[in-house]
């Protein structure tokens, strides 16, 4: 592992390409390390005052399409004196060669060493990327522990949904940003620019202090954690007078003012998504109790239909993509989704451009939407997420969808030409029983029978996909116990048997699942505190890499590391995962403010145990979750009453001339 270094960052960073290029013929998919994609930016190092390296801690094929990194990359590079480049996790075959030949973690844009940058920003959408972070830090020649870093090292900044509880990686990151990044990275850039212009007074400590004083950047080194004899947290308090007791999330309120990405990256290698993605709104008030994304991104903020139209036009013309993904947590909930889809479908009719809604609620999908999405004859996949198999468990999780709703929706899809739909469920939910899970099989059978009856064809299928439930911070289920992996695996086994109990129906139903072991480890990381950092480090030292990939994940490696590291603190793996928390327990993230009132979250947890359903506050009176008063704002919804404009040809392709009206 790397030793602390005080060598200053260079005035001009040299490319490591001459050392890297000879290694690439020896690795799989070498093109993922080459860079030069359409949309990529390479700027003059010497002309930049502030330099960012941005990372999604997974392989290129997963990281490149990530919307958050693409947006920040573009926002930063639009500033004349700022430079931003991208880096991704390298596969173990290249890691081994890089270590042998002394090649550091590099950016794909100009192949510069990550250590040469001012800020190393890492966006986490899942906690299973933590070991990849350690690999990148170590390969870059940066000390693994934040406490060992000097002025010569970049500030390592965590963001993304997992940053709402950064405590498990508090030893390894210098700071974390909660919430939206567009305005946050500009504020951080301004602070770094000013600090450097003044001659970097006070060194690294002063820079981190200036960031902490914003009250929206969390710097773990400025907070001490005290523990009770039974292992619970007693308190988390600042260790200096000039940092805030609570750190608040950032929220970008006017999405129309941030129409990014304008120039999407077009990958050279195959990636998990190859489409132009437009986020049509941010936030969700459906109140699904398991959903961290829906809770922490409140309030709802819609992007206007005119801005969406303009973004689609410009993005397709720049990129050449043939699919437009209208993204959000529940895309069909946009107040103008009907006009949006019909307008786009009409404008691109006769072209090879298709529309998709990657996240569609069962009760928001209708025949008009189905027809618009399939107007060009190309039908992208449809995924519906009932989440729970029984009516009872759906009340517990506040997923207000009936079996009749689901069957009616899927039949609508089948009768409009779709032959394949995917149904997503979770296993291991609070209060769940075997019977709740077995009702998934009944639902899948009913879907196939109804689809065959409606279409007169047996050529229809559905895929049942099962994920393990993981309690997340800042949700009503943050107090809930997890189910043990052997219980999850038992339920998955009997569910498969139930699906196949009717051979005629079973052969039309695909079955995909994630077993209980990775979910338990994700649960350890999602609700862990600083003591879990010792487990992460030990797993990484023992070879842990790409833990989000089943072929690389080792449950035993995590269990062994936890058994070795945690007893020192008087706790164990079960203490973090299968234990139910009580109302007054100090949770590791309580000093990090998502805007949600903890008392409201607790009451919603009690409501779930009573199987009480909570309404969507977009259409009903406020139920005091705390977000709008704490942010001095309110939910933003349309409709605006505007439409998209007609088409005119551009470069021989029919696309809209603009979306303003």
């Amino acid at each position: 592992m790397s030793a602390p270094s005080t060598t200053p960052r260079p005035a001009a960073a040299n490319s490591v390409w001459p050392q890297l290029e000879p290694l690439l013929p020896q690795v799989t998919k070498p093109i993922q390390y080459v860079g030069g994609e359409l949309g990529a930016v390479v700027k003059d190092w010497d002309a930049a005052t502030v330099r960012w390296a941005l990372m999604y801690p997974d392989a290129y094929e997963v990281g490149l399409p990530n919307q958050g990194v693409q947006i920040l990359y573009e926002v930063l590079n639009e500033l004349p004196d700022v430079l931003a480049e991208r880096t991704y996790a390298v596969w173990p075959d290249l890691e081994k060669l890089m270590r042998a030949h002394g090649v550091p973690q590099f950016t794909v844009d100009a192949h510069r060493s990550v250590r040469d940058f001012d800020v190393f920003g890492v966006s986490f959408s899942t906690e299973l990327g933590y070991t990849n972070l350690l690999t990148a830090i170590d390969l870059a020649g940066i000390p693994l522990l934040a406490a060992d870093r000097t002025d010569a090292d970049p500030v390592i900044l965590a963001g993304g949904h997992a940053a709402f509880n950064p405590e498990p990686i508090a030893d390894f990151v210098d700071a974390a940003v909660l919430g939206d990044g567009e305005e946050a990275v500009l504020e951080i850039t301004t602070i770094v620019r000013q600090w450097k212009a003044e001659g970097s007074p006070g060194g690294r400590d002063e820079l981190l202090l200036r960031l902490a004083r914003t009250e929206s950047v969390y710097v773990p080194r400025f907070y001490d954690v005290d523990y009770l004899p039974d292992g619970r947290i007693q308190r988390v308090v600042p260790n200096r007078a000039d940092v805030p007791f609570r750190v608040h999330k950032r929220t970008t309120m006017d999405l129309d003012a941030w129409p990014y990405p304008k120039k999407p990256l077009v990958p050279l290698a195959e990636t998990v998504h190859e489409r132009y993605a437009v986020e049509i709104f941010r936030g969700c008030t459906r109140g699904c109790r398991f959903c961290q994304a829906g809770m922490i991104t409140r309030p709802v903020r819609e992007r206007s239909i005119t801005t969406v139209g303009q973004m689609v036009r410009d993005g397709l013309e720049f990129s050449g993509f043939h699919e437009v993904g209208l993204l959000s947590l529940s895309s069909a909930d946009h107040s103008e989704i009907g006009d949006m889809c019909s307008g786009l479908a009409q404008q691109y009719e006769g072209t090879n451009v298709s529309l998709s809604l990657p996240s569609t609620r069962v009760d928001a999908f209708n025949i008009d939407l189905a027809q618009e999405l399939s107007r060009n004859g190309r039908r992208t996949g449809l995924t519906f997420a009932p989440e729970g198999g029984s009516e009872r468990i759906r009340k517990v999780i506040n997923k207000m969808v009936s079996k009749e709703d689901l069957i009616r929706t899927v039949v609508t899809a089948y009768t409009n030409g779709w032959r394949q739909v995917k149904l997503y469920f979770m296993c291991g939910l609070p209060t769940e029983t075997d019977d709740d899970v077995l009702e998934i099989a009944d639902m899948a059978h009913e879907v196939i029978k109804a689809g065959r009856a409606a279409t007169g064809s047996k050529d229809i299928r559905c895929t049942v996909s099962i994920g393990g439930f993981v309690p997340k911070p800042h949700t009503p289920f943050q107090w809930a116990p997890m189910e043990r992996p052997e219980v999850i695996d038992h339920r998955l086994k009997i569910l498969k048997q139930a699906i196949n109990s009717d051979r005629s129906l079973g052969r039309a139903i695909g079955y995909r699942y994630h077993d209980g072991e990775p979910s338990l480890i994700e649960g350890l990381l999602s609700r862990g505190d600083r003591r879990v950092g010792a487990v992460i480090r030990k797993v990484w030292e023992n070879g842990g890499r790409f833990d989000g990939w089943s072929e690389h994940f080792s449950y035993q490696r995590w269990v062994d590391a936890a058994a070795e590291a945690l007893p020192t603190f008087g706790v164990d793996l079960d203490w973090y995962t299968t234990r139910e928390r009580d109302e007054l327990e100090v949770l590791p993230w309580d000093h990090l403010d998502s805007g949600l009132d903890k008392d409201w979250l607790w009451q919603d947890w009690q409501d779930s145990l009573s199987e009480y359903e909570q309404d969507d506050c977009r259409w009903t009176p406020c139920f005091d979750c705390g977000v709008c008063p704490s942010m001095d704002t309110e939910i933003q919804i349309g409709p605006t009453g505007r439409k998209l404009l007609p088409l005119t040809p551009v470069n021989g392709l029919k696309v809209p001339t603009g979306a303003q009206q």
Side-chain angles (χ1 to χ4, degrees):
M1 286 178 287
S2 56
S5 171
T6 57
T7 306
R9 284 192 293 276
N14 295 321
S15 170
V16 303
W17 180 250
Q19 294 80 46
L20 175 66
E21 186 181 19
L23 308 180
L24 295 184
Q26 304 174 55
V27 303
T28 56
K29 298 183 181 177
I31 195 163
Q32 65 188 304
Y33 307 116
V34 171
E37 306 95 339
L38 180 64
V41 178
V42 176
K43 300 178 76 172
D44 182 358
W45 182 270
D46 295 329
T49 305
V50 181
R51 306 174 182 102
W52 286 72
L54 299 173
M55 182 182 195
Y56 187 84
D58 208 324
Y60 176 94
E61 61 198 81
V62 178
L64 182 132
N66 180 260
Q67 191 87 339
V69 171
Q70 286 205 32
I71 289 171
L72 300 185
Y73 178 73
E74 197 170 321
V75 166
L76 288 166
N77 276 320
E78 283 185 346
L79 300 175
D81 69 332
V82 176
L83 173 154
E85 298 189 12
R86 297 162 292 128
T87 187
Y88 304 104
V90 299
W91 285 110
D93 58 355
L94 182 57
E95 180 193 342
K96 183 178 179 180
L97 289 169
M98 289 167 66
R99 292 190 185 279
H101 293 83
V103 177
Q105 180 78 25
F106 57 88
T107 61
V108 296
D109 297 293
H111 299 96
R112 291 160 170 149
S113 171
V114 165
R115 185 173 181 269
D116 293 339
F117 290 77
D118 298 303
V119 185
F120 180 20
V122 188
S123 178
F124 292 99
S125 59
T126 171
E127 297 85 358
L128 291 174
Y130 289 160
T131 50
N132 284 354
L133 168 68
L134 299 197
T135 302
I137 293 173
D138 190 58
L139 281 175
I142 301 168
L144 212 57
L145 297 177
D148 294 337
R149 293 177 196 142
T150 70
D151 295 358
D153 298 303
V155 168
I156 298 182
L157 181 71
H161 287 179
F164 275 79
N165 177 26
E167 292 300 276
I169 52 171
D171 289 342
F172 313 117
V173 300
D174 296 295
V177 173
L178 281 62
D180 299 333
E182 292 95 336
E183 293 162 307
V185 295
L186 297 184
E187 182 179 24
I188 291 167
T189 297
T190 299
I191 292 170
V192 174
R193 182 193 290 122
Q194 182 65 34
W195 173 76
K196 291 179 73 174
E198 294 171 8
S200 307
R204 184 182 196 84
D205 200 66
E206 171 64 21
L207 175 58
L208 291 172
L209 183 58
R210 292 186 185 188
L211 293 174
R213 284 174 179 156
T214 65
E215 300 190 4
S216 61
V217 178
Y218 174 54
V219 181
R221 70 192 293 177
F222 295 146
Y223 295 80
D224 291 333
V225 183
D226 297 327
Y227 300 95
L228 296 167
D230 64 2
R232 292 177 302 152
I233 294 172
Q234 182 179 26
R235 61 178 186 168
V236 180
V237 291
N239 54 31
R240 42 192 308 166
D242 42 3
V243 298
F245 272 87
R246 283 173 67 79
V247 179
H248 307 287
K249 75 170 180 179
R250 297 298 298 253
T251 301
T252 300
M253 291 305 301
D254 184 4
L255 294 188
D256 284 345
W258 300 89
Y260 296 91
K262 301 172 184 175
K263 298 179 179 179
L265 290 159
V266 180
L268 295 176
E270 184 179 1
T271 58
V272 292
H273 299 300
E274 296 186 4
R275 65 191 179 200
Y276 178 55
V278 179
E279 187 181 24
I280 60 175
F281 73 90
R282 196 172 292 178
C284 183
T285 48
R286 287 284 187 171
C288 301
R289 293 174 173 127
F290 57 84
C291 182
Q292 184 189 47
M295 293 290 172
I296 63 178
T297 58
R298 296 179 180 202
V300 170
R301 292 145 285 152
E302 289 193 349
R303 188 164 263 148
S304 70
I305 188 172
T306 49
T307 300
V308 170
Q310 188 69 47
M311 289 178 68
V312 170
R313 174 192 184 277
D314 295 344
L316 290 182
E317 186 177 358
F318 176 83
S319 67
F321 282 129
H322 294 153
E323 181 182 340
V324 176
L326 303 178
L327 305 188
S328 77
L329 291 173
S330 184
S331 297
D333 281 343
H334 192 289
S335 62
E336 295 181 295
I337 190 63
D339 286 343
M340 189 180 294
C341 287
S342 62
L344 290 171
Q346 181 177 348
Q347 290 185 355
Y348 292 97
E349 191 168 8
T351 73
N352 58 357
V353 172
S354 61
L355 298 177
S356 66
L357 297 183
S359 53
T360 311
R361 280 187 62 92
V362 170
D363 51 353
F365 186 83
N366 55 52
I367 191 167
D368 294 332
L369 206 52
Q371 289 172 341
E372 299 301 353
L373 291 176
S374 60
R375 187 188 292 199
N376 281 1
R378 295 180 63 227
R379 293 180 178 86
T380 56
L382 282 180
T383 299
F384 301 104
E387 308 289 359
S390 69
E391 198 87 24
R392 187 195 73 81
I393 204 71
R394 289 194 293 275
K395 289 181 179 179
V396 169
I397 65 177
N398 208 47
K399 190 80 174 186
M400 295 172 282
V401 175
S402 68
K403 180 189 287 189
E404 292 71 26
D405 286 336
L406 176 73
I407 292 172
R408 182 168 54 249
T409 297
V410 174
V411 166
T412 297
Y414 287 145
T415 54
N416 278 273
W418 275 273
R419 289 294 172 262
Q420 170 89 34
V421 298
K422 182 178 177 181
L423 305 178
Y424 181 80
F425 299 88
M426 282 190 290
C427 186
L429 291 161
T431 77
E432 180 185 276
T433 66
D434 289 2
D435 289 340
D436 292 315
V437 175
L438 288 173
E439 287 201 39
I440 296 173
D442 295 335
M443 185 179 287
H445 287 164
E446 291 295 326
V447 161
I448 295 298
K449 286 192 286 188
R452 287 175 176 176
T455 62
S457 169
K458 288 194 173 183
D459 182 29
I460 57 169
R461 289 183 58 80
C462 82
T463 297
V464 171
S465 182
I466 314 286
F469 164 69
V470 179
K472 294 287 186 177
H474 307 282
T475 70
F477 288 163
Q478 63 185 359
W479 290 276
M482 291 189 72
E483 201 62 87
R484 296 200 57 77
E486 53 267 26
V487 175
I488 301 295
D489 294 345
H490 161 73
R491 289 176 182 163
L492 293 172
K493 181 180 178 181
I494 62 173
L495 173 59
K496 184 176 182 179
Q497 293 170 346
I499 288 173
N500 293 326
S501 62
D502 186 316
R503 293 184 62 188
S504 171
L505 298 172
R507 68 168 59 103
I509 301 169
Y511 184 55
R512 297 177 183 173
Y513 62 90
H514 299 283
D515 60 39
E517 294 179 346
S519 297
L520 192 79
I521 300 307
E522 189 179 341
L524 166 70
L525 299 175
S526 72
R527 292 193 294 178
D529 51 44
R530 294 186 183 186
R531 296 170 291 189
V532 172
V535 181
I536 298 169
R537 180 169 184 171
K538 198 165 289 293
V539 167
W540 174 76
E541 290 173 343
N542 292 333
R545 308 287 191 274
F546 290 94
D547 287 293
W549 296 67
S550 57
E551 60 266 42
H552 293 277
F553 175 80
S554 167
Y555 179 65
Q556 196 59 49
R557 184 160 48 210
W558 282 94
V559 170
D560 291 346
E564 191 175 343
L566 294 179
T568 306
F569 308 111
V571 293
D572 58 19
L573 180 58
D574 286 346
W575 191 88
Y576 283 105
T577 54
T578 59
R579 177 180 68 92
E580 182 173 350
R581 281 73 167 158
D582 63 39
E583 180 180 7
L584 299 180
E585 179 168 344
V586 176
L587 303 175
W589 51 89
D590 277 350
H591 58 297
L592 305 175
D593 185 9
S594 64
L596 295 160
D597 183 75
K598 189 178 180 183
D599 290 339
W600 177 81
L601 288 171
W602 174 263
Q603 185 55 54
D604 206 38
W605 166 228
Q606 300 309 298
D607 287 344
S608 76
L609 298 176
S610 303
E611 300 172 18
Y612 174 79
E613 293 176 307
Q614 179 68 265
D615 289 331
D616 185 337
C617 67
R618 265 179 293 185
W619 324 116
T620 59
C622 172
F623 46 71
D624 296 326
C625 75
V627 169
C628 292
S630 68
M631 298 178 59
D632 191 27
T633 186
E634 59 185 19
I635 290 168
Q636 296 179 2
I637 58 170
T640 63
R642 296 177 178 177
K643 306 289 183 185
L644 299 176
L645 286 184
L647 296 165
T648 57
V650 175
N651 295 331
L653 174 70
K654 292 176 68 179
V655 294
T657 57
Q660 302 302 319
Q661 181 164 319

